Amino acid sequence: MSKKALQIHPEDNLLVALTNLEAGEAVSVNGHKVTARQEIPSKHKLALKDLKAGNKIYMYGSLVGTVTEDVPTGGLLTTENTKHDVSQYSIKSTGKSWEAPDVSKWKDKEFLGYHRPDGQVGTANYWLVVPLVFCENRNVNTIKNAFMKELGYANSNIYEQYVSDLVELYKTGKTDQIQEMTSPPSKNELSEPEPIFENVDGIKFLTHEGGCGGIRQDSEALCGLLAGYIYHPNVAGATVLSLGCQNAQIEILEEKIANLTSDLQKPLYIYEQQQSGTEYEMLTSAIRKTFLGLVEANKNERKPAPLSKLTIGMECGGSDGFSGISANPSVGHAGDLVTALGGSVILSEFPELCGVEQELIDRTTTKEMAEKFVSLMRSYSDAAEASGSGFDMNPSPGNIKDGLITDAMKSAGAAKKGGTSPIQAVLDYTEYVRKPGLNLLCTPGNDVESTTAMAGSGANIILFTTGLGTPTGNPVAPVAKVSSNSELAKKMPDIIDIDTGPVIKGEKTIEEMGAQILDYIIDLASGNIKTKAMQLNQDDFIPWKRGVSL
């Protein structure tokens, strides 16, 4: 029988409603009997005991806010009676002990990946075409239009067929029937193209609005990000288009690549339009060399690789009041399993670590690492406040509507994506993962800016938890969408890959769900399945301009 409410941690003084509670409805949790004073929507919080104005409230054993007025036992916590509040933190100790989970089931497991000469292993095999500056976006799209259909990478477009059918009705004088055509044809009715290169998963085109016009630091960071994408294990080679006069100079990109490796050992074709003559001359050469690069990339085949070659990025977006008790801890446990097997995990979104800093500091393995984390958090927070904002303004209207009423409450649940393992490295934006284990990466909480950054730091798979639903994907790293509740998985099956709703219903434990997710990761890394975002060609790419983005 499923529970109606949950006390997450013994020190918590509020409960999470696991289903809609009627006014006067009683629930029993851990020996406490609580009667709802009003209607409590599912995912929202009710007071476990009488709270007086000024009392602090706790979830996950962490301080997540302060009530601004009296809230009786069973009363609903809202943005009107609760404000953001967090615990202070300091570097007291590091190297917290950790008991790794049992990974004997996966000890001898492997995935089929693309081995690179530098020792990295890709979960996919892509070619990149990227601009150094926004002035080259049209040229990148021109190459895209030339390649995608001819190479068999353009998905059948049901909406294109829908418009074609509407045009045919118009041409044949049957305009009166258009109103009745309320839905496009099914994808099953359209034939999917066969790729020319069976061992190349696609050619990816990254466009952006950067490279010039902003501050020089943004262009330098962009070059660092693009260098990470070019160096990425899922990338076989790259074609880069430069205008010539922009801030993001070719030399900066080459310097950033050299910081990652002294020997790239993959094709890199760079074109500068102001030195190339006509657009026609540049693009025909770029297309020809890119095609020959694809021919070479196609010679690489999937081969067995240890699970230690996995780098899993952890992301959340469109979070709800269940995310922190189902999806996030489930992917967190999967991450602990990957860590115990020698792989790497990335936890990012620093504004959504607000309030759990002390726990993370205690999990760092050196004092220097803890100091770097504190420095990055404080400088980011100070920049947000200097602009008139702050981490406390991170929760979106959708978060609040579904029960995440303070940033500390959202952060305490979001941090569960990082599991419980020791933190082996703290990375600033565009720094690349070099150490196995859990890595903290400084990024915004913005979904696409964060996933873009994690891929640029080497994530070869990204697990993206959501309670409200989001289609986000990435050009080079497969993004698997993990729903916090079964209702979402049923409502949006075209974007959800894994449903952790059984945790909420008491049908599965966090450990069982995490094990299931690891098995899914192995299949995904081997190319046996494609995520929904991959099927939709959802290739989101937004570089972070180091201004304030929460």
Side-chain angles (χ1 to χ4, degrees):
M1 181 178 176
S2 59
K3 298 178 180 178
K4 292 185 177 181
L6 175 69
Q7 181 186 27
I8 299 171
H9 188 278
E11 295 180 9
D12 293 355
N13 55 3
L14 49 80
L15 303 176
V16 182
L18 299 181
T19 186
N20 293 328
L21 300 177
E22 299 293 332
E25 186 171 354
V27 295
S28 295
V29 179
N30 299 334
H32 301 281
K33 187 174 181 179
V34 177
T35 300
R37 293 297 184 103
Q38 65 227 80
E39 183 178 316
I40 310 290
S42 175
K43 308 178 186 179
H44 283 258
K45 318 302 179 292
L46 60 157
L48 180 60
K49 61 181 182 180
D50 288 343
L51 299 171
K52 299 296 182 183
N55 282 173
K56 298 184 182 299
I57 56 171
Y58 294 85
M59 270 185 72
Y60 307 96
S62 298
L63 174 63
V64 297
T66 298
V67 291
T68 56
E69 59 186 64
D70 293 354
V71 180
T73 301
L76 176 66
L77 279 296
T78 70
T79 53
E80 283 72 36
N81 60 25
T82 306
K83 67 177 182 178
H84 172 80
D85 195 6
V86 294
S87 299
Q88 298 301 307
Y89 58 90
S90 61
I91 303 173
K92 300 173 183 176
S93 62
T94 58
K96 184 179 179 180
S97 62
W98 181 59
E99 184 176 346
D102 179 15
V103 291
S104 55
K105 175 184 173 182
W106 300 275
K107 183 171 61 72
D108 299 319
K109 292 257 185 171
E110 297 175 312
F111 72 96
L112 296 176
Y114 293 99
H115 291 250
R116 306 300 178 191
D118 60 10
Q120 296 187 97
V121 180
T123 60
N125 195 30
Y126 294 116
W127 189 277
L128 283 186
V129 180
V130 299
L132 268 182
V133 62
F134 56 81
C135 309
E136 292 297 321
N137 282 346
R138 189 187 71 83
N139 285 332
V140 168
N141 285 326
T142 297
I143 297 175
K144 179 179 181 178
N145 292 337
F147 267 125
M148 292 296 284
K149 186 175 180 180
E150 291 300 320
L151 295 184
Y153 295 127
N155 283 1
S156 298
N157 189 328
I158 58 174
Y159 305 107
E160 189 176 275
Q161 183 61 50
Y162 186 40
V163 172
S164 177
D165 292 344
L166 296 176
V167 168
E168 185 61 28
L169 287 176
Y170 172 75
K171 284 182 174 180
T172 55
K174 300 176 182 177
T175 309
D176 57 315
Q177 295 182 25
I178 290 178
Q179 194 64 35
E180 300 171 13
M181 287 196 63
T182 57
S183 60
S186 163
K187 281 190 74 74
N188 296 331
E189 299 175 32
L190 303 178
S191 59
E192 290 294 336
E194 285 292 328
I196 301 299
F197 301 112
E198 62 178 343
N199 294 319
V200 179
D201 294 298
I203 178 168
K204 298 296 184 175
F205 301 85
L206 279 56
T207 56
H208 56 80
E209 304 304 318
C212 202
I215 60 175
R216 295 299 176 92
Q217 291 92 328
D218 284 342
S219 292
E220 186 166 331
L222 173 65
C223 288
L225 180 70
L226 294 178
Y229 271 72
I230 292 167
Y231 181 63
H232 196 283
N234 289 4
V235 173
T239 303
V240 178
L241 301 188
S242 167
L243 178 60
C245 57
Q246 74 276 352
N247 289 341
Q249 287 286 296
I250 292 171
E251 291 77 12
I252 301 175
L253 175 66
E254 291 174 334
E255 177 186 336
K256 297 296 184 181
I257 292 173
N259 290 341
L260 293 172
T261 176
S262 59
D263 184 11
L264 185 59
Q265 299 188 67
K266 66 175 68 172
L268 176 61
Y269 307 133
I270 301 178
Y271 289 86
E272 188 163 276
Q273 188 169 7
Q274 290 170 347
Q275 301 296 322
S276 298
T278 66
E279 175 189 293
Y280 175 81
E281 291 172 314
M282 181 180 76
L283 294 186
T284 51
S285 177
I287 288 170
R288 182 172 61 253
K289 292 203 76 172
T290 298
F291 188 88
L292 292 173
L294 289 164
V295 171
E296 290 302 309
N298 194 50
K299 295 176 182 177
N300 194 354
E301 298 181 358
R302 290 183 181 270
K303 296 176 183 176
L307 301 186
S308 59
K309 294 296 184 179
L310 292 171
T311 299
I312 311 298
M314 300 295 187
E315 178 68 24
C316 58
S319 298
D320 71 349
F322 286 166
S323 292
I325 56 181
S326 58
N328 291 347
S330 293
V331 301
H333 184 68
D336 283 346
L337 295 173
V338 170
T339 293
L341 289 161
S344 302
V345 172
I346 304 174
L347 179 64
S348 59
E349 301 181 287
F350 273 32
E352 297 178 15
L353 301 179
C354 177
V356 294
E357 294 95 339
Q358 192 63 58
E359 178 199 340
L360 296 172
I361 288 168
D362 294 345
R363 287 167 60 187
T364 57
T365 50
T366 68
K367 182 180 178 182
E368 292 73 22
M369 199 183 301
E371 289 172 343
K372 183 175 181 179
F373 172 60
V374 169
S375 175
L376 288 169
M377 282 293 288
R378 286 182 173 159
S379 62
Y380 196 163
S381 178
D382 290 346
E385 291 177 9
S387 72
S389 185
F391 285 173
D392 60 305
M393 298 180 74
N394 174 269
S396 70
N399 296 149
I400 295 168
K401 181 182 177 183
D402 267 47
L404 299 176
I405 59 174
T406 72
D407 182 56
M409 186 178 290
K410 181 179 178 180
S411 294
K416 297 301 178 183
K417 303 191 305 292
T420 60
S421 68
I423 295 166
Q424 301 295 343
V426 176
L427 308 174
D428 198 358
Y429 182 64
T430 78
E431 289 188 308
Y432 205 83
V433 170
R434 297 296 190 185
K435 292 186 177 181
L438 179 59
N439 292 249
L440 299 184
L441 175 65
C442 184
T443 77
N446 177 290
D447 301 350
V448 179
E449 287 176 331
S450 179
T451 52
T452 296
M454 287 194 289
S457 290
N460 52 16
I461 281 178
I462 295 173
L463 298 177
F464 191 128
T465 67
T466 181
L468 304 176
T470 171
T472 303
N474 182 264
V476 302
V479 178
K481 228 59 62 55
V482 183
S483 70
S484 70
N485 61 89
S486 297
E487 289 72 20
L488 172 63
K490 292 173 184 175
K491 183 173 70 172
M492 304 179 79
D494 55 329
I495 67 169
I496 297 299
D497 300 285
I498 302 168
D499 175 23
T500 63
V503 172
I504 298 296
K505 292 178 280 190
E507 297 168 358
K508 283 190 177 181
T509 65
I510 294 296
E511 291 74 21
E512 289 170 340
M513 203 72 238
Q516 179 182 323
I517 291 172
L518 178 55
D519 288 336
Y520 176 92
I521 288 172
I522 296 170
D523 268 347
L524 177 60
S526 299
N528 297 331
I529 52 178
K530 285 186 176 183
T531 68
K532 302 297 175 59
M534 293 169 74
Q535 294 171 35
L536 294 170
N537 272 347
Q538 186 84 29
D539 295 335
D540 299 304
F541 179 81
I542 301 180
W544 180 26
K545 291 184 177 181
R546 202 65 180 257
V548 176
S549 176
L550 299 177

mmCIF file of all heavy atoms in Angstrom, residues 367-391:
data_model
loop_
_atom_site.group_PDB
_atom_site.id
_atom_site.type_symbol
_atom_site.label_atom_id
_atom_site.label_comp_id
_atom_site.label_asym_id
_atom_site.label_seq_id
_atom_site.Cartn_x
_atom_site.Cartn_y
_atom_site.Cartn_z
ATOM 1 N N LYS A 367 41.816 19.895 1.426
ATOM 2 C CA LYS A 367 41.452 21.249 1.840
ATOM 3 C C LYS A 367 41.476 22.207 0.643
ATOM 4 O O LYS A 367 40.628 23.089 0.517
ATOM 5 C CB LYS A 367 42.421 21.739 2.913
ATOM 6 C CG LYS A 367 42.091 23.125 3.440
ATOM 7 C CD LYS A 367 43.086 23.572 4.502
ATOM 8 C CE LYS A 367 42.743 24.987 4.980
ATOM 9 N NZ LYS A 367 43.733 25.474 5.976
ATOM 10 N N GLU A 368 42.453 22.028 -0.261
ATOM 11 C CA GLU A 368 42.572 22.888 -1.442
ATOM 12 C C GLU A 368 41.329 22.783 -2.320
ATOM 13 O O GLU A 368 40.844 23.779 -2.873
ATOM 14 C CB GLU A 368 43.814 22.511 -2.253
ATOM 15 C CG GLU A 368 45.139 22.810 -1.582
ATOM 16 C CD GLU A 368 45.475 21.862 -0.434
ATOM 17 O OE1 GLU A 368 44.909 20.731 -0.419
ATOM 18 O OE2 GLU A 368 46.279 22.247 0.441
ATOM 19 N N MET A 369 40.818 21.576 -2.434
ATOM 20 C CA MET A 369 39.604 21.342 -3.222
ATOM 21 C C MET A 369 38.410 22.057 -2.579
ATOM 22 O O MET A 369 37.610 22.701 -3.269
ATOM 23 C CB MET A 369 39.347 19.834 -3.297
ATOM 24 C CG MET A 369 38.431 19.381 -4.410
ATOM 25 S SD MET A 369 38.189 17.595 -4.289
ATOM 26 C CE MET A 369 39.878 17.018 -4.428
ATOM 27 N N ALA A 370 38.309 21.950 -1.265
ATOM 28 C CA ALA A 370 37.221 22.608 -0.539
ATOM 29 C C ALA A 370 37.314 24.121 -0.708
ATOM 30 O O ALA A 370 36.296 24.803 -0.908
ATOM 31 C CB ALA A 370 37.276 22.232 0.936
ATOM 32 N N GLU A 371 38.523 24.658 -0.652
ATOM 33 C CA GLU A 371 38.715 26.101 -0.801
ATOM 34 C C GLU A 371 38.309 26.571 -2.195
ATOM 35 O O GLU A 371 37.725 27.640 -2.346
ATOM 36 C CB GLU A 371 40.183 26.465 -0.513
ATOM 37 C CG GLU A 371 40.555 26.337 0.964
ATOM 38 C CD GLU A 371 42.038 26.516 1.210
ATOM 39 O OE1 GLU A 371 42.816 26.424 0.227
ATOM 40 O OE2 GLU A 371 42.419 26.757 2.372
ATOM 41 N N LYS A 372 38.613 25.781 -3.204
ATOM 42 C CA LYS A 372 38.235 26.147 -4.561
ATOM 43 C C LYS A 372 36.712 26.151 -4.704
ATOM 44 O O LYS A 372 36.144 27.065 -5.324
ATOM 45 C CB LYS A 372 38.855 25.182 -5.575
ATOM 46 C CG LYS A 372 38.571 25.547 -7.026
ATOM 47 C CD LYS A 372 39.298 24.632 -7.995
ATOM 48 C CE LYS A 372 39.023 25.025 -9.437
ATOM 49 N NZ LYS A 372 39.740 24.147 -10.411
ATOM 50 N N PHE A 373 36.048 25.169 -4.123
ATOM 51 C CA PHE A 373 34.580 25.107 -4.180
ATOM 52 C C PHE A 373 33.972 26.325 -3.496
ATOM 53 O O PHE A 373 33.081 26.983 -4.052
ATOM 54 C CB PHE A 373 34.086 23.822 -3.520
ATOM 55 C CG PHE A 373 32.590 23.750 -3.355
ATOM 56 C CD1 PHE A 373 31.752 23.800 -4.457
ATOM 57 C CD2 PHE A 373 32.020 23.652 -2.088
ATOM 58 C CE1 PHE A 373 30.362 23.750 -4.311
ATOM 59 C CE2 PHE A 373 30.641 23.595 -1.931
ATOM 60 C CZ PHE A 373 29.812 23.643 -3.048
ATOM 61 N N VAL A 374 34.447 26.653 -2.307
ATOM 62 C CA VAL A 374 33.930 27.801 -1.565
ATOM 63 C C VAL A 374 34.162 29.096 -2.343
ATOM 64 O O VAL A 374 33.276 29.955 -2.432
ATOM 65 C CB VAL A 374 34.584 27.880 -0.165
ATOM 66 C CG1 VAL A 374 34.256 29.214 0.501
ATOM 67 C CG2 VAL A 374 34.106 26.723 0.706
ATOM 68 N N SER A 375 35.341 29.236 -2.927
ATOM 69 C CA SER A 375 35.658 30.437 -3.700
ATOM 70 C C SER A 375 34.722 30.592 -4.894
ATOM 71 O O SER A 375 34.197 31.685 -5.160
ATOM 72 C CB SER A 375 37.114 30.384 -4.186
ATOM 73 O OG SER A 375 37.411 31.471 -5.018
ATOM 74 N N LEU A 376 34.483 29.512 -5.620
ATOM 75 C CA LEU A 376 33.599 29.566 -6.782
ATOM 76 C C LEU A 376 32.160 29.882 -6.369
ATOM 77 O O LEU A 376 31.473 30.689 -7.009
ATOM 78 C CB LEU A 376 33.643 28.242 -7.545
ATOM 79 C CG LEU A 376 34.923 27.953 -8.337
ATOM 80 C CD1 LEU A 376 34.945 26.508 -8.827
ATOM 81 C CD2 LEU A 376 35.049 28.907 -9.513
ATOM 82 N N MET A 377 31.689 29.243 -5.306
ATOM 83 C CA MET A 377 30.319 29.483 -4.837
ATOM 84 C C MET A 377 30.131 30.933 -4.401
ATOM 85 O O MET A 377 29.146 31.589 -4.770
ATOM 86 C CB MET A 377 29.984 28.540 -3.676
ATOM 87 C CG MET A 377 29.645 27.124 -4.085
ATOM 88 S SD MET A 377 28.093 26.963 -5.026
ATOM 89 C CE MET A 377 26.858 27.265 -3.771
ATOM 90 N N ARG A 378 31.100 31.450 -3.627
ATOM 91 C CA ARG A 378 30.946 32.805 -3.091
ATOM 92 C C ARG A 378 31.069 33.862 -4.176
ATOM 93 O O ARG A 378 30.321 34.852 -4.170
ATOM 94 C CB ARG A 378 31.964 33.032 -1.973
ATOM 95 C CG ARG A 378 31.564 32.278 -0.698
ATOM 96 C CD ARG A 378 32.507 32.502 0.452
ATOM 97 N NE ARG A 378 31.965 31.886 1.668
ATOM 98 C CZ ARG A 378 32.691 31.555 2.734
ATOM 99 N NH1 ARG A 378 34.003 31.782 2.736
ATOM 100 N NH2 ARG A 378 32.109 30.999 3.781
ATOM 101 N N SER A 379 31.981 33.674 -5.109
ATOM 102 C CA SER A 379 32.131 34.667 -6.175
ATOM 103 C C SER A 379 30.893 34.670 -7.074
ATOM 104 O O SER A 379 30.443 35.734 -7.526
ATOM 105 C CB SER A 379 33.401 34.400 -6.991
ATOM 106 O OG SER A 379 33.349 33.140 -7.620
ATOM 107 N N TYR A 380 30.324 33.496 -7.316
ATOM 108 C CA TYR A 380 29.099 33.393 -8.128
ATOM 109 C C TYR A 380 27.937 34.068 -7.401
ATOM 110 O O TYR A 380 27.193 34.882 -7.976
ATOM 111 C CB TYR A 380 28.806 31.922 -8.389
ATOM 112 C CG TYR A 380 27.825 31.615 -9.501
ATOM 113 C CD1 TYR A 380 27.758 30.337 -10.051
ATOM 114 C CD2 TYR A 380 26.958 32.573 -10.009
ATOM 115 C CE1 TYR A 380 26.866 30.029 -11.073
ATOM 116 C CE2 TYR A 380 26.062 32.285 -11.027
ATOM 117 C CZ TYR A 380 26.015 31.011 -11.545
ATOM 118 O OH TYR A 380 25.131 30.704 -12.551
ATOM 119 N N SER A 381 27.797 33.770 -6.118
ATOM 120 C CA SER A 381 26.724 34.347 -5.319
ATOM 121 C C SER A 381 26.863 35.866 -5.238
ATOM 122 O O SER A 381 25.879 36.609 -5.370
ATOM 123 C CB SER A 381 26.728 33.747 -3.916
ATOM 124 O OG SER A 381 25.729 34.329 -3.097
ATOM 125 N N ASP A 382 28.089 36.348 -5.038
ATOM 126 C CA ASP A 382 28.331 37.793 -4.945
ATOM 127 C C ASP A 382 27.966 38.488 -6.260
ATOM 128 O O ASP A 382 27.392 39.580 -6.261
ATOM 129 C CB ASP A 382 29.796 38.064 -4.611
ATOM 130 C CG ASP A 382 30.149 37.667 -3.175
ATOM 131 O OD1 ASP A 382 29.214 37.437 -2.381
ATOM 132 O OD2 ASP A 382 31.353 37.587 -2.867
ATOM 133 N N ALA A 383 28.310 37.846 -7.384
ATOM 134 C CA ALA A 383 27.997 38.428 -8.692
ATOM 135 C C ALA A 383 26.486 38.517 -8.889
ATOM 136 O O ALA A 383 25.973 39.506 -9.437
ATOM 137 C CB ALA A 383 28.632 37.595 -9.804
ATOM 138 N N ALA A 384 25.765 37.490 -8.439
ATOM 139 C CA ALA A 384 24.302 37.495 -8.564
ATOM 140 C C ALA A 384 23.700 38.616 -7.723
ATOM 141 O O ALA A 384 22.817 39.354 -8.182
ATOM 142 C CB ALA A 384 23.732 36.142 -8.142
ATOM 143 N N GLU A 385 24.192 38.779 -6.508
ATOM 144 C CA GLU A 385 23.660 39.817 -5.618
ATOM 145 C C GLU A 385 24.012 41.213 -6.122
ATOM 146 O O GLU A 385 23.219 42.153 -6.004
ATOM 147 C CB GLU A 385 24.180 39.594 -4.198
ATOM 148 C CG GLU A 385 23.597 38.346 -3.544
ATOM 149 C CD GLU A 385 24.164 38.078 -2.164
ATOM 150 O OE1 GLU A 385 24.893 38.960 -1.644
ATOM 151 O OE2 GLU A 385 23.891 37.002 -1.597
ATOM 152 N N ALA A 386 25.215 41.354 -6.709
ATOM 153 C CA ALA A 386 25.638 42.657 -7.221
ATOM 154 C C ALA A 386 24.753 43.115 -8.375
ATOM 155 O O ALA A 386 24.619 44.318 -8.630
ATOM 156 C CB ALA A 386 27.096 42.595 -7.677
ATOM 157 N N SER A 387 24.124 42.165 -9.053
ATOM 158 C CA SER A 387 23.244 42.508 -10.174
ATOM 159 C C SER A 387 21.808 42.712 -9.728
ATOM 160 O O SER A 387 20.914 42.919 -10.554
ATOM 161 C CB SER A 387 23.304 41.413 -11.236
ATOM 162 O OG SER A 387 22.638 40.253 -10.787
ATOM 163 N N GLY A 388 21.576 42.612 -8.418
ATOM 164 C CA GLY A 388 20.225 42.793 -7.898
ATOM 165 C C GLY A 388 19.432 41.512 -7.809
ATOM 166 O O GLY A 388 18.219 41.533 -7.577
ATOM 167 N N SER A 389 20.109 40.360 -8.004
ATOM 168 C CA SER A 389 19.435 39.068 -7.934
ATOM 169 C C SER A 389 20.019 38.278 -6.761
ATOM 170 O O SER A 389 20.441 38.850 -5.768
ATOM 171 C CB SER A 389 19.614 38.325 -9.268
ATOM 172 O OG SER A 389 18.875 37.127 -9.267
ATOM 173 N N GLY A 390 20.042 36.968 -6.886
ATOM 174 C CA GLY A 390 20.587 36.111 -5.832
ATOM 175 C C GLY A 390 20.161 34.682 -6.058
ATOM 176 O O GLY A 390 19.200 34.415 -6.793
ATOM 177 N N PHE A 391 20.874 33.747 -5.439
ATOM 178 C CA PHE A 391 20.534 32.334 -5.593
ATOM 179 C C PHE A 391 19.108 32.049 -5.136
ATOM 180 O O PHE A 391 18.459 31.119 -5.625
ATOM 181 C CB PHE A 391 21.505 31.462 -4.793
ATOM 182 C CG PHE A 391 22.871 31.324 -5.413
ATOM 183 C CD1 PHE A 391 23.888 30.680 -4.719
ATOM 184 C CD2 PHE A 391 23.142 31.812 -6.677
ATOM 185 C CE1 PHE A 391 25.142 30.530 -5.283
ATOM 186 C CE2 PHE A 391 24.398 31.678 -7.251
ATOM 187 C CZ PHE A 391 25.404 31.031 -6.551
#
